[in-house]
Amino acid sequence: MRKKLVVGNWKMNMTISETKDFLAQIKDKIDKKNDVAFCVPTISLESAILSLKDIDIGIGVQNIHEKDSGAYTGETAAKMVKDAGATYALVGHSERRQYFGETCEWVNLKAIQAIKHDLIPIICVGETETEREQGITSELIKKQIKIAFLNIPNEDAIKCVIAYEPVWAIGTGKTATTEQAEEVCKLIRETIEELYGLETAQKIRILYGGSVNASNAKELFSMENIDGGLVGGASLSLDFINITNA
Ligand code: PEP
């Protein structure tokens, strides 16, 4: 049985003081029978970790660099993130692909780097509205998954988390229907089976993300191939408690 995982992606929101206040309000109310995590702005990483010490809620970042260290002004290495106490790193979020030009190959290098430093990469994939209309969703998702997992051996792949996030559903209030979300998550699991075999496919966790809220979470998370959610906007409010309880 795969344990459900709900991850809040705060994007570029919340100052350090707001982080402390928010986590203090929310930490005891979150249902810990599922895995829960927040991917916070890197500057708030340490205070988020301190705010949640002794509480079983994971903390992660929203991006890492693909190199160990060096002259990469403004970037953050996976090793630094790990040393600060983080557990997760988002890689390949569609906003990174769209605004910062991250390619599938780049996402793969970042996933490898996360694994190297013992962070769990949450590998994001998803199609745009135009790609869905063109009928190329399946082909595109398979390609994104196959490239993201290049050179990642089975024992590491099994620890990764995948987030299916249709770009047209992120921050738009337009959630994919449960059927649409399940169909793509199932396809992702089949692609993982093709790459690594049935055992890994059955163990790897696949999340849905895209306008998840307290009203739609329960139905989405009840689908066979959806193991939880990656939640943007609704993770910034107390509504997130109801999503984790869903
Ligand atoms: C996200 O940021 O990954 C996301 C899914 O955002 P939202 O829930 O706001 O659509």
Side-chain angles (χ1 to χ4, degrees):
M1 250 290 263
R2 296 180 296 269
K3 197 171 177 193
K4 298 276 182 202
L5 168 65
V6 182
V7 181
N9 171 20
W10 283 359
K11 314 193 188 201
M12 199 173 71
N13 294 295
M14 297 266 196
T15 61
I16 292 178
S17 342
E18 287 164 349
T19 299
K20 288 181 191 160
D21 290 349
F22 182 76
L23 292 177
Q25 280 185 68
I26 207 168
K27 65 182 184 187
D28 295 324
K29 302 194 181 84
I30 284 179
D31 187 347
K32 320 282 187 314
K33 74 171 182 293
N34 303 311
D35 286 338
V36 176
F38 291 98
C39 288
V40 302
T42 309
I43 194 168
S44 304
L45 183 59
E46 198 175 357
S47 51
I49 289 166
L50 287 174
S51 303
L52 296 176
K53 74 170 166 355
D54 308 324
I55 300 218
D56 196 13
I57 295 176
I59 290 291
V61 289
Q62 300 164 15
N63 180 40
I64 49 165
H65 195 266
E66 68 277 16
K67 294 271 172 52
D68 278 334
S69 62
Y72 302 102
T73 302
E75 290 291 315
T76 312
K79 190 177 173 183
M80 299 168 185
V81 169
K82 182 66 193 179
D83 185 56
T87 308
Y88 298 94
L90 291 181
V91 293
H93 190 281
S94 67
E95 286 151 18
R96 302 262 353 142
R97 294 181 192 249
Q98 185 181 351
Y99 303 128
F100 302 96
E102 287 190 13
T103 60
C104 289
E105 289 73 16
W106 202 353
V107 171
N108 169 246
L109 295 178
K110 288 182 184 224
I112 291 174
Q113 185 67 3
I115 293 164
K116 179 174 174 192
H117 293 285
D118 200 22
L119 292 166
I120 300 171
I122 302 175
I123 300 168
C124 305
V125 296
E127 81 289 1
T128 61
E129 191 154 37
T130 313
E131 286 158 348
R132 178 160 280 266
E133 281 164 7
Q134 287 170 342
I136 58 168
T137 300
S138 304
E139 186 190 320
L140 181 99
I141 298 289
K142 279 185 114 176
K143 178 179 157 222
Q144 288 179 338
I145 291 289
K146 286 188 174 171
I147 300 178
F149 281 87
L150 273 176
N151 302 315
I152 298 183
N154 184 50
E155 66 269 23
D156 292 329
I158 212 161
K159 295 181 228 150
C160 296
V161 173
I162 299 168
Y164 166 55
E165 298 209 301
V167 180
W168 47 272
I170 298 180
T172 57
K174 265 198 238 170
T175 322
T177 62
T178 38
E179 291 72 25
Q180 284 171 326
E182 167 63 14
E183 189 186 9
V184 179
C185 290
K186 182 167 180 278
L187 172 85
I188 293 173
R189 206 173 293 291
E190 286 164 359
T191 310
I192 292 293
E193 182 177 350
E194 239 179 77
L195 297 174
Y196 296 103
L198 188 61
E199 197 190 337
T200 301
Q202 280 173 345
K203 286 197 175 148
I204 202 162
R205 290 192 285 189
I206 303 173
L207 314 181
Y208 166 78
S211 300
V212 173
N213 57 42
S215 336
N216 58 31
K218 195 169 181 154
E219 198 182 330
L220 284 161
F221 300 171
S222 69
M223 302 308 282
E224 192 183 335
N225 288 290
I226 302 179
D227 304 315
L230 180 55
V231 184
S235 69
L236 295 163
S237 74
L238 298 180
D239 220 18
F240 189 66
I241 299 166
N242 300 321
I243 299 177
T244 63
N245 294 344

PDB file of all heavy atoms in Angstrom, residues 7 9-11 90 93-95 124 165-166 169-173 208-213 230-235, ligand 1:
ATOM      1  N   VAL A   7       1.821  17.604  -0.653  1.00  0.00           N
ATOM      2  CA  VAL A   7       2.926  18.570  -0.602  1.00  0.00           C
ATOM      3  C   VAL A   7       2.392  19.956  -0.957  1.00  0.00           C
ATOM      4  O   VAL A   7       1.742  20.137  -1.990  1.00  0.00           O
ATOM      5  CB  VAL A   7       4.025  18.174  -1.627  1.00  0.00           C
ATOM      6  CG1 VAL A   7       5.190  19.166  -1.553  1.00  0.00           C
ATOM      7  CG2 VAL A   7       4.517  16.751  -1.387  1.00  0.00           C
ATOM      8  N   ASN A   9       3.187  23.628  -2.216  1.00  0.00           N
ATOM      9  CA  ASN A   9       4.218  24.391  -2.939  1.00  0.00           C
ATOM     10  C   ASN A   9       3.898  25.863  -2.749  1.00  0.00           C
ATOM     11  O   ASN A   9       2.943  26.374  -3.329  1.00  0.00           O
ATOM     12  CB  ASN A   9       4.182  24.013  -4.430  1.00  0.00           C
ATOM     13  CG  ASN A   9       5.081  24.927  -5.255  1.00  0.00           C
ATOM     14  OD1 ASN A   9       5.977  25.576  -4.726  1.00  0.00           O
ATOM     15  ND2 ASN A   9       4.826  24.975  -6.559  1.00  0.00           N
ATOM     16  N   TRP A  10       4.701  26.520  -1.947  1.00  0.00           N
ATOM     17  CA  TRP A  10       4.405  27.925  -1.616  1.00  0.00           C
ATOM     18  C   TRP A  10       4.815  28.886  -2.716  1.00  0.00           C
ATOM     19  O   TRP A  10       4.510  30.072  -2.648  1.00  0.00           O
ATOM     20  CB  TRP A  10       5.115  28.306  -0.313  1.00  0.00           C
ATOM     21  CG  TRP A  10       4.425  27.782   0.904  1.00  0.00           C
ATOM     22  CD1 TRP A  10       3.279  27.047   0.947  1.00  0.00           C
ATOM     23  CD2 TRP A  10       4.840  27.964   2.266  1.00  0.00           C
ATOM     24  NE1 TRP A  10       2.955  26.758   2.253  1.00  0.00           N
ATOM     25  CE2 TRP A  10       3.892  27.303   3.081  1.00  0.00           C
ATOM     26  CE3 TRP A  10       5.917  28.604   2.870  1.00  0.00           C
ATOM     27  CZ2 TRP A  10       3.989  27.286   4.469  1.00  0.00           C
ATOM     28  CZ3 TRP A  10       6.007  28.582   4.252  1.00  0.00           C
ATOM     29  CH2 TRP A  10       5.052  27.934   5.045  1.00  0.00           C
ATOM     30  N   LYS A  11       5.552  28.413  -3.700  1.00  0.00           N
ATOM     31  CA  LYS A  11       6.051  29.301  -4.766  1.00  0.00           C
ATOM     32  C   LYS A  11       6.765  30.496  -4.123  1.00  0.00           C
ATOM     33  O   LYS A  11       7.376  30.338  -3.071  1.00  0.00           O
ATOM     34  CB  LYS A  11       4.912  29.741  -5.692  1.00  0.00           C
ATOM     35  CG  LYS A  11       4.016  28.568  -6.098  1.00  0.00           C
ATOM     36  CD  LYS A  11       3.114  28.893  -7.221  1.00  0.00           C
ATOM     37  CE  LYS A  11       2.143  27.735  -7.420  1.00  0.00           C
ATOM     38  NZ  LYS A  11       1.568  27.702  -8.724  1.00  0.00           N
ATOM     39  N   LEU A  90      11.535  19.968  -5.291  1.00  0.00           N
ATOM     40  CA  LEU A  90      10.743  19.937  -6.528  1.00  0.00           C
ATOM     41  C   LEU A  90      11.707  20.066  -7.688  1.00  0.00           C
ATOM     42  O   LEU A  90      12.651  20.858  -7.622  1.00  0.00           O
ATOM     43  CB  LEU A  90       9.784  21.134  -6.594  1.00  0.00           C
ATOM     44  CG  LEU A  90       8.607  21.230  -5.639  1.00  0.00           C
ATOM     45  CD1 LEU A  90       7.809  22.502  -5.949  1.00  0.00           C
ATOM     46  CD2 LEU A  90       7.709  20.022  -5.759  1.00  0.00           C
ATOM     47  N   HIS A  93       9.171  21.866 -12.099  1.00  0.00           N
ATOM     48  CA  HIS A  93       7.838  22.466 -12.001  1.00  0.00           C
ATOM     49  C   HIS A  93       7.570  23.243 -13.293  1.00  0.00           C
ATOM     50  O   HIS A  93       8.487  23.841 -13.862  1.00  0.00           O
ATOM     51  CB  HIS A  93       7.775  23.392 -10.782  1.00  0.00           C
ATOM     52  CG  HIS A  93       6.380  23.853 -10.492  1.00  0.00           C
ATOM     53  ND1 HIS A  93       5.785  24.872 -11.203  1.00  0.00           N
ATOM     54  CD2 HIS A  93       5.452  23.414  -9.606  1.00  0.00           C
ATOM     55  CE1 HIS A  93       4.543  25.046 -10.748  1.00  0.00           C
ATOM     56  NE2 HIS A  93       4.322  24.167  -9.774  1.00  0.00           N
ATOM     57  N   SER A  94       6.333  23.269 -13.734  1.00  0.00           N
ATOM     58  CA  SER A  94       6.057  23.890 -15.040  1.00  0.00           C
ATOM     59  C   SER A  94       6.428  25.369 -15.049  1.00  0.00           C
ATOM     60  O   SER A  94       6.770  25.918 -16.098  1.00  0.00           O
ATOM     61  CB  SER A  94       4.599  23.696 -15.435  1.00  0.00           C
ATOM     62  OG  SER A  94       3.782  24.416 -14.566  1.00  0.00           O
ATOM     63  N   GLU A  95       6.366  26.022 -13.873  1.00  0.00           N
ATOM     64  CA  GLU A  95       6.778  27.440 -13.858  1.00  0.00           C
ATOM     65  C   GLU A  95       8.274  27.574 -14.106  1.00  0.00           C
ATOM     66  O   GLU A  95       8.726  28.548 -14.698  1.00  0.00           O
ATOM     67  CB  GLU A  95       6.348  28.086 -12.520  1.00  0.00           C
ATOM     68  CG  GLU A  95       4.840  28.314 -12.498  1.00  0.00           C
ATOM     69  CD  GLU A  95       4.196  28.281 -11.127  1.00  0.00           C
ATOM     70  OE1 GLU A  95       4.908  28.409 -10.115  1.00  0.00           O
ATOM     71  OE2 GLU A  95       2.964  28.113 -11.071  1.00  0.00           O
ATOM     72  N   CYS A 124       8.154  16.965 -11.619  1.00  0.00           N
ATOM     73  CA  CYS A 124       6.870  17.446 -12.143  1.00  0.00           C
ATOM     74  C   CYS A 124       6.809  17.301 -13.663  1.00  0.00           C
ATOM     75  O   CYS A 124       7.767  17.657 -14.359  1.00  0.00           O
ATOM     76  CB  CYS A 124       6.677  18.908 -11.786  1.00  0.00           C
ATOM     77  SG  CYS A 124       6.827  19.251 -10.027  1.00  0.00           S
ATOM     78  N   GLU A 165       1.058  17.439 -13.244  1.00  0.00           N
ATOM     79  CA  GLU A 165       0.431  18.749 -13.119  1.00  0.00           C
ATOM     80  C   GLU A 165       0.115  19.307 -14.502  1.00  0.00           C
ATOM     81  O   GLU A 165       1.000  19.881 -15.161  1.00  0.00           O
ATOM     82  CB  GLU A 165       1.380  19.719 -12.411  1.00  0.00           C
ATOM     83  CG  GLU A 165       1.737  19.309 -11.002  1.00  0.00           C
ATOM     84  CD  GLU A 165       2.041  20.526 -10.150  1.00  0.00           C
ATOM     85  OE1 GLU A 165       2.956  21.285 -10.482  1.00  0.00           O
ATOM     86  OE2 GLU A 165       1.330  20.732  -9.176  1.00  0.00           O
ATOM     87  N   PRO A 166      -1.124  19.130 -14.960  1.00  0.00           N
ATOM     88  CA  PRO A 166      -1.473  19.741 -16.244  1.00  0.00           C
ATOM     89  C   PRO A 166      -1.301  21.259 -16.124  1.00  0.00           C
ATOM     90  O   PRO A 166      -1.849  21.867 -15.197  1.00  0.00           O
ATOM     91  CB  PRO A 166      -2.945  19.358 -16.437  1.00  0.00           C
ATOM     92  CG  PRO A 166      -3.427  18.798 -15.145  1.00  0.00           C
ATOM     93  CD  PRO A 166      -2.257  18.447 -14.304  1.00  0.00           C
ATOM     94  N   ALA A 169      -4.108  23.630 -15.536  1.00  0.00           N
ATOM     95  CA  ALA A 169      -4.868  23.544 -14.279  1.00  0.00           C
ATOM     96  C   ALA A 169      -4.134  24.220 -13.121  1.00  0.00           C
ATOM     97  O   ALA A 169      -4.675  24.333 -12.029  1.00  0.00           O
ATOM     98  CB  ALA A 169      -5.133  22.082 -13.939  1.00  0.00           C
ATOM     99  N   ILE A 170      -2.892  24.673 -13.373  1.00  0.00           N
ATOM    100  CA  ILE A 170      -2.107  25.246 -12.270  1.00  0.00           C
ATOM    101  C   ILE A 170      -2.479  26.703 -12.051  1.00  0.00           C
ATOM    102  O   ILE A 170      -2.331  27.539 -12.950  1.00  0.00           O
ATOM    103  CB  ILE A 170      -0.590  25.114 -12.541  1.00  0.00           C
ATOM    104  CG1 ILE A 170      -0.224  23.632 -12.636  1.00  0.00           C
ATOM    105  CG2 ILE A 170       0.221  25.798 -11.451  1.00  0.00           C
ATOM    106  CD1 ILE A 170       1.245  23.380 -12.903  1.00  0.00           C
ATOM    107  N   GLY A 171      -2.985  26.982 -10.856  1.00  0.00           N
ATOM    108  CA  GLY A 171      -3.306  28.357 -10.467  1.00  0.00           C
ATOM    109  C   GLY A 171      -4.451  28.959 -11.261  1.00  0.00           C
ATOM    110  O   GLY A 171      -4.645  30.173 -11.246  1.00  0.00           O
ATOM    111  N   THR A 172      -5.210  28.136 -11.963  1.00  0.00           N
ATOM    112  CA  THR A 172      -6.270  28.676 -12.818  1.00  0.00           C
ATOM    113  C   THR A 172      -7.663  28.417 -12.236  1.00  0.00           C
ATOM    114  O   THR A 172      -8.645  28.963 -12.735  1.00  0.00           O
ATOM    115  CB  THR A 172      -6.229  27.987 -14.206  1.00  0.00           C
ATOM    116  OG1 THR A 172      -6.364  26.566 -13.990  1.00  0.00           O
ATOM    117  CG2 THR A 172      -4.932  28.272 -14.929  1.00  0.00           C
ATOM    118  N   GLY A 173      -7.725  27.572 -11.232  1.00  0.00           N
ATOM    119  CA  GLY A 173      -9.032  27.184 -10.689  1.00  0.00           C
ATOM    120  C   GLY A 173      -9.691  26.104 -11.539  1.00  0.00           C
ATOM    121  O   GLY A 173     -10.756  25.597 -11.207  1.00  0.00           O
ATOM    122  N   TYR A 208      -1.182  14.222  -7.975  1.00  0.00           N
ATOM    123  CA  TYR A 208      -1.827  15.120  -8.941  1.00  0.00           C
ATOM    124  C   TYR A 208      -1.709  16.546  -8.413  1.00  0.00           C
ATOM    125  O   TYR A 208      -1.858  16.785  -7.205  1.00  0.00           O
ATOM    126  CB  TYR A 208      -3.321  14.768  -9.120  1.00  0.00           C
ATOM    127  CG  TYR A 208      -4.029  15.902  -9.833  1.00  0.00           C
ATOM    128  CD1 TYR A 208      -3.890  16.057 -11.212  1.00  0.00           C
ATOM    129  CD2 TYR A 208      -4.738  16.873  -9.121  1.00  0.00           C
ATOM    130  CE1 TYR A 208      -4.456  17.150 -11.856  1.00  0.00           C
ATOM    131  CE2 TYR A 208      -5.303  17.963  -9.765  1.00  0.00           C
ATOM    132  CZ  TYR A 208      -5.161  18.092 -11.138  1.00  0.00           C
ATOM    133  OH  TYR A 208      -5.710  19.179 -11.778  1.00  0.00           O
ATOM    134  N   GLY A 209      -1.442  17.486  -9.283  1.00  0.00           N
ATOM    135  CA  GLY A 209      -1.426  18.897  -8.889  1.00  0.00           C
ATOM    136  C   GLY A 209      -2.111  19.740  -9.939  1.00  0.00           C
ATOM    137  O   GLY A 209      -2.005  19.468 -11.150  1.00  0.00           O
ATOM    138  N   GLY A 210      -2.804  20.772  -9.479  1.00  0.00           N
ATOM    139  CA  GLY A 210      -3.512  21.677 -10.397  1.00  0.00           C
ATOM    140  C   GLY A 210      -4.835  22.050  -9.777  1.00  0.00           C
ATOM    141  O   GLY A 210      -5.802  21.288  -9.883  1.00  0.00           O
ATOM    142  N   SER A 211      -4.836  23.202  -9.068  1.00  0.00           N
ATOM    143  CA  SER A 211      -6.048  23.713  -8.426  1.00  0.00           C
ATOM    144  C   SER A 211      -6.722  22.708  -7.487  1.00  0.00           C
ATOM    145  O   SER A 211      -7.958  22.617  -7.443  1.00  0.00           O
ATOM    146  CB  SER A 211      -7.024  24.237  -9.484  1.00  0.00           C
ATOM    147  OG  SER A 211      -6.416  25.273 -10.227  1.00  0.00           O
ATOM    148  N   VAL A 212      -5.887  21.955  -6.749  1.00  0.00           N
ATOM    149  CA  VAL A 212      -6.460  21.064  -5.725  1.00  0.00           C
ATOM    150  C   VAL A 212      -6.943  21.953  -4.578  1.00  0.00           C
ATOM    151  O   VAL A 212      -6.281  22.909  -4.186  1.00  0.00           O
ATOM    152  CB  VAL A 212      -5.399  20.060  -5.202  1.00  0.00           C
ATOM    153  CG1 VAL A 212      -5.939  19.265  -4.019  1.00  0.00           C
ATOM    154  CG2 VAL A 212      -4.941  19.117  -6.314  1.00  0.00           C
ATOM    155  N   ASN A 213      -8.134  21.644  -4.063  1.00  0.00           N
ATOM    156  CA  ASN A 213      -8.651  22.381  -2.901  1.00  0.00           C
ATOM    157  C   ASN A 213      -9.402  21.415  -1.994  1.00  0.00           C
ATOM    158  O   ASN A 213      -9.492  20.213  -2.289  1.00  0.00           O
ATOM    159  CB  ASN A 213      -9.532  23.564  -3.351  1.00  0.00           C
ATOM    160  CG  ASN A 213     -10.683  23.097  -4.222  1.00  0.00           C
ATOM    161  OD1 ASN A 213     -11.316  22.077  -3.945  1.00  0.00           O
ATOM    162  ND2 ASN A 213     -10.952  23.823  -5.299  1.00  0.00           N
ATOM    163  N   LEU A 230       0.019  17.726  -5.099  1.00  0.00           N
ATOM    164  CA  LEU A 230       0.947  18.862  -5.018  1.00  0.00           C
ATOM    165  C   LEU A 230       0.046  20.092  -5.089  1.00  0.00           C
ATOM    166  O   LEU A 230      -0.671  20.281  -6.081  1.00  0.00           O
ATOM    167  CB  LEU A 230       1.956  18.820  -6.165  1.00  0.00           C
ATOM    168  CG  LEU A 230       3.004  19.944  -6.208  1.00  0.00           C
ATOM    169  CD1 LEU A 230       3.786  20.050  -4.906  1.00  0.00           C
ATOM    170  CD2 LEU A 230       3.997  19.701  -7.350  1.00  0.00           C
ATOM    171  N   VAL A 231       0.065  20.866  -4.027  1.00  0.00           N
ATOM    172  CA  VAL A 231      -0.942  21.905  -3.848  1.00  0.00           C
ATOM    173  C   VAL A 231      -0.275  23.274  -3.790  1.00  0.00           C
ATOM    174  O   VAL A 231       0.572  23.514  -2.925  1.00  0.00           O
ATOM    175  CB  VAL A 231      -1.711  21.658  -2.527  1.00  0.00           C
ATOM    176  CG1 VAL A 231      -2.835  22.671  -2.365  1.00  0.00           C
ATOM    177  CG2 VAL A 231      -2.234  20.224  -2.462  1.00  0.00           C
ATOM    178  N   GLY A 232      -0.629  24.158  -4.701  1.00  0.00           N
ATOM    179  CA  GLY A 232      -0.048  25.500  -4.706  1.00  0.00           C
ATOM    180  C   GLY A 232      -0.857  26.458  -3.854  1.00  0.00           C
ATOM    181  O   GLY A 232      -0.716  26.500  -2.624  1.00  0.00           O
ATOM    182  N   GLY A 233      -1.738  27.215  -4.488  1.00  0.00           N
ATOM    183  CA  GLY A 233      -2.498  28.277  -3.819  1.00  0.00           C
ATOM    184  C   GLY A 233      -3.124  27.855  -2.490  1.00  0.00           C
ATOM    185  O   GLY A 233      -2.987  28.568  -1.479  1.00  0.00           O
ATOM    186  N   ALA A 234      -3.757  26.702  -2.470  1.00  0.00           N
ATOM    187  CA  ALA A 234      -4.481  26.288  -1.255  1.00  0.00           C
ATOM    188  C   ALA A 234      -3.546  25.856  -0.123  1.00  0.00           C
ATOM    189  O   ALA A 234      -4.013  25.612   0.989  1.00  0.00           O
ATOM    190  CB  ALA A 234      -5.469  25.174  -1.600  1.00  0.00           C
ATOM    191  N   SER A 235      -2.243  25.784  -0.380  1.00  0.00           N
ATOM    192  CA  SER A 235      -1.326  25.419   0.718  1.00  0.00           C
ATOM    193  C   SER A 235      -0.912  26.658   1.510  1.00  0.00           C
ATOM    194  O   SER A 235      -0.197  26.556   2.492  1.00  0.00           O
ATOM    195  CB  SER A 235      -0.090  24.698   0.182  1.00  0.00           C
ATOM    196  OG  SER A 235       0.737  25.574  -0.549  1.00  0.00           O
TER     197      SER A 235
HETATM  198  C1  PEP B   1       1.531  24.060  -8.051  1.00  0.00           C
HETATM  199  O1  PEP B   1       2.069  25.107  -7.764  1.00  0.00           O
HETATM  200  O2  PEP B   1       2.226  23.062  -8.199  1.00  0.00           O
HETATM  201  C2  PEP B   1       0.070  24.028  -8.174  1.00  0.00           C
HETATM  202  C3  PEP B   1      -0.497  22.898  -8.477  1.00  0.00           C
HETATM  203  O3  PEP B   1      -0.586  25.203  -7.960  1.00  0.00           O
HETATM  204  P1  PEP B   1      -2.177  25.370  -7.725  1.00  0.00           P
HETATM  205  O4  PEP B   1      -2.584  24.342  -6.695  1.00  0.00           O
HETATM  206  O5  PEP B   1      -2.337  26.762  -7.214  1.00  0.00           O
HETATM  207  O6  PEP B   1      -2.853  25.128  -9.018  1.00  0.00           O
END
